[in-house]
Amino acid sequence: MKPLKVALLGCGTVGSAVLRLVDEQAADLTARVGRPVQVAGVAVRRPDRHPDVPAGLLTTDALGLVTRDDVDLVVEVIGGIEPARTLIQAAIEAGKSVVSANKALLAEDGVALHAAAAKAGVDLYYEAAVAGAIPLLRPLRESLAGDQIRRVVGIVNGTTNYILSRMAETGHGFAEALAEATELGYAEADPTADVDGFDAAAKAAILASLGFHTAVTAADVHREGISSVTATDVARAAEIGCTVKLLAICERVPANGDGEGESVAVRVHPAMIPTSHPLAAVGGAFNAVFVEAEAAGQLMFYGQGAGGEPTASAVLGDLVAVARNRVAGAAGAGPTAYADLPARPIAETPTRYHVSLDVADVPGVLATVATAFAEHGVSIATVRQDGHGDAATLVIVTHSAPDAALSATIAALREVPAVRGVTSVLRVEGLS
Ligand SMILES: NC(=O)c1ccc[n+]([C@@H]2O[C@H](COP(=O)([O-])OP(=O)(O)OC[C@H]3O[C@@H](n4cnc5c(N)ncnc54)[C@H](O)[C@@H]3O)[C@@H](O)[C@H]2O)c1
Ligand SMILES: N[C@@H](CCO)C(=O)O
Ligand code: NA
C-alpha cells in the first residue's frame, strides 16, 4: 500500500509530540486510515537542535517541503501569522490537505484559507487550535451542524486560568501568581498573548465563526486580559460566593423589535461567576466550554487545553480525518459563513457588574450612589454596606445593562466626593 506522506512544519512542543505519536501508532493509523501514514519531512529552523529526529527528515526549506510532489498532507505547528500563512497557502494551492494548531492565523485569515481550500478541493482542519485536546471544533462543525447554537461560553486559556486559580488559593496578586506560573512553565517567557487575552480572543473568534456560520475575526472580539485583576477583586468575589475566571463568551443576539437585526456579540474578559457554576470548578490549566443549542440544550466540554501530547492528540485526530478523505478521494465540506451576521459592539452588549466602593459613612451617601446608577439607567440588584469607623464599604451588584451605561456609571461614581475609592469593578456572569 502506497503510504500517505506528511510534511511536518515545526518541531517544538506540539510538533515533537506529533512526530513521536505518528511513529508509535503507525500500525493503528494504517488500519484506521486504510493506508500507512508516514512523515516525509520535518521543517525546522535549526536542524542541530533536533538530535532525536532522523537527520534525513530534517530540512530548513519549509516551502520546498510543502510543495514536494510526494507530499499529500501538511501539519503546521509553527504558530504565528508568517511564515505559517504563506506555507499553508502554498500547500493548499499545491493540492495538499492541511492540519494546523494555529489559532492566531485561523482567527485572522480563516475565511481566505477556507476559500482557498474549497477552490483546491482539499481539507483544512484545526481542532488543536481551540481548547487543545478537547473535541470542540468538530462537534461544532459536524455534530451540531443541524442545530442552532445560541451561546458558547468557556475557559479557553490554561495559563490565565492557572494564574486566577492560584490568586484565589493564595490571596496573592496578579504579579506574584504570574511569576509562579512562569517558574512552573505554565506561562511562556513572553506571556502577553495569554494574560492580555489575545490567545482567548483568537479562540473565541474561531468558536463564534463555526458556531454562528459567520465570519468573525479576532478584531471583532472585545478583549480584556487579567493583568488588572487584583487580589481585592478575587477577595470580593469570594465574599459574594463567586470566583474570578477569564471567560470567552460568544452570543447570537436575536433581532429586536426596533428594527435591529440579528447580530453576534463576542467578548473575552475576566468575570465573577458563582462558585456553584460548573465553570467555577475548572481549576489550574484546564479548559472547559459550554455550548447552548436550541434543540440540544446545554453541552459541556472539559479537558486539557494545552501541552504537547494533549494537543498532538487533536492534531492526530485531524490527520486521520484528512487522510481518510484523501483515501476516499474527496474533501470534507468546509464551514459555512452564510449567516453573515454583524458583530455587536461591547458598548451595546448587556452585562452585569459587581462594584465595590469605599465611601464616607455620612447620611445620604447610599442615596447619592444609587442616584448615579439610576441616572445612567442601570438597575441595582443587590447592595451590601459594611461600616467601619467613619467609612463604609458598599458592594453593589447590578442587573443587566448596556456595557456603556455601566462604564459611564463608574466614571460618575469616581467624581462623587463621598466616594473615597472605587476598589473593585468586575463583570458578573451566570447569576440568575
Ligand atoms: N503548546 C501548546 O500547549 C499548544 C496548544 C494548542 C495549540 N498550540 C499551537 O500549536 C502551535 C505550535 O505551538 P508549540 O507550543 O509547539 O510552539 P513551539 O514554539 O514549541 O514550537 C514551534 C516550533 O516551530 C519552529 N519554527 C518557527 N519558525 C519556523 C519556520 N519558519 N520553519 C520551521 N520551523 C519553524 C520553532 O523553532 C519551534 O521549534 C502554535 O500555533 C500554538 O498556538 C500549542
Ligand atoms: N497558551 C495557551 C496554550 C493552548 O492554546 C494556553 O495557556 O491555554
Ligand atoms: Na480542541
Side-chain angles (χ1 to χ4, degrees):
M1 263 185 301
K2 193 168 164 258
L4 282 165
K5 297 229 171 147
V6 180
L8 179 62
L9 309 182
C11 196
T13 307
V14 180
S16 56
V18 169
L19 187 63
R20 190 170 47 74
L21 291 180
V22 168
D23 181 52
E24 282 174 11
Q25 297 177 23
D28 286 318
L29 292 177
T30 303
R32 290 172 196 177
V33 167
R35 268 167 69 182
V37 176
Q38 210 174 69
V39 174
V42 183
V44 296
R45 270 194 303 208
R46 298 273 311 267
D48 55 307
R49 299 237 174 116
H50 302 276
D52 298 342
V53 181
L57 292 182
L58 288 169
T59 175
T60 53
D61 180 12
L63 190 60
L65 177 62
V66 299
T67 50
R68 237 168 70 180
D69 283 346
D70 64 329
V71 164
D72 302 287
L73 314 169
V74 171
V75 173
E76 182 274 310
V77 279
I78 291 174
I81 303 297
E82 284 296 351
R85 170 166 43 202
T86 302
L87 292 169
I88 290 179
Q89 265 164 348
I92 288 171
E93 281 163 23
K96 328 289 186 192
S97 285
V98 174
V99 173
S100 172
N102 194 332
K103 59 222 113 173
L105 178 60
L106 266 305
E108 186 169 306
D109 246 0
V111 171
L113 292 173
H114 275 299
K119 189 165 167 223
V122 301
D123 286 316
L124 172 61
Y125 279 54
Y126 39 93
E127 181 61 72
V130 183
I134 306 171
L136 182 60
L137 303 191
R138 202 91 58 83
L140 289 177
R141 239 168 106 151
E142 295 172 13
S143 322
L144 291 162
D147 210 331
Q148 295 292 340
I149 292 171
R150 284 195 296 240
R151 207 160 180 258
V152 181
V153 183
I155 294 168
V156 292
N157 183 269
T159 306
T160 48
N161 199 55
Y162 178 83
I163 293 170
L164 291 171
S165 302
R166 287 303 288 164
M167 286 173 74
E169 282 158 19
T170 61
H172 288 162
F174 166 76
E176 285 163 288
L178 170 62
E180 189 192 331
T182 308
E183 199 174 312
L184 290 171
Y186 286 108
E188 292 182 34
D190 177 4
T192 314
D194 292 320
V195 300
D196 289 344
F198 290 101
D199 176 82
K203 291 166 176 170
I206 293 170
L207 290 172
S209 299
L210 296 181
F212 305 140
H213 303 275
T214 258
V216 178
T217 68
D220 297 319
V221 181
H222 173 78
R223 175 189 53 80
E224 293 169 38
I226 64 160
S227 55
S228 55
V229 175
T230 63
T232 306
D233 290 328
V234 175
R236 290 279 183 267
E239 284 165 16
I240 61 162
C242 284
T243 186
V244 180
K245 295 289 186 190
L246 182 71
L247 298 182
I249 303 174
C250 314
E251 290 166 313
R252 188 170 183 145
V253 186
N256 66 12
D258 303 334
E260 238 182 281
E262 218 182 348
S263 60
V264 294
V266 189
R267 53 199 161 104
V268 166
H269 55 68
M272 293 184 183
I273 56 172
T275 48
S276 57
H277 193 288
L279 287 178
V282 178
F286 276 80
N287 284 188
V289 177
F290 261 117
V291 176
E292 240 177 76
E294 208 73 54
Q298 289 197 331
L299 305 161
M300 188 168 175
F301 300 82
Y302 172 82
Q304 297 195 67
E309 273 209 12
T311 307
S313 164
V315 171
L316 257 73
D318 280 353
L319 190 58
V320 168
V322 303
R324 281 176 175 158
N325 286 348
R326 209 24 86 110
V327 169
T336 53
Y338 71 90
D340 199 21
L341 302 172
R344 176 148 95 167
I346 185 74
E348 295 164 23
T349 303
T351 58
R352 296 182 72 174
Y353 266 83
H354 162 283
V355 181
S356 172
L357 307 169
D358 277 347
V359 298
D361 198 357
V362 292
V365 65
L366 191 55
T368 311
V369 167
T371 303
F373 281 90
E375 279 176 348
H376 294 92
V378 179
S379 170
I380 292 174
T382 61
V383 186
R384 204 190 71 220
Q385 176 170 348
D386 292 323
H388 33 88
D390 68 342
T393 300
L394 282 182
V395 176
I396 294 159
V397 177
T398 73
H399 284 297
S400 236
D403 199 85
L406 286 155
S407 302
T409 307
I410 303 302
L413 286 170
R414 290 189 202 277
E415 301 303 317
V416 173
V419 174
R420 293 178 177 166
V422 179
T423 53
S424 169
V425 179
L426 218 56
R427 293 191 182 81
V428 185
E429 292 288 328
L431 282 183
S432 50

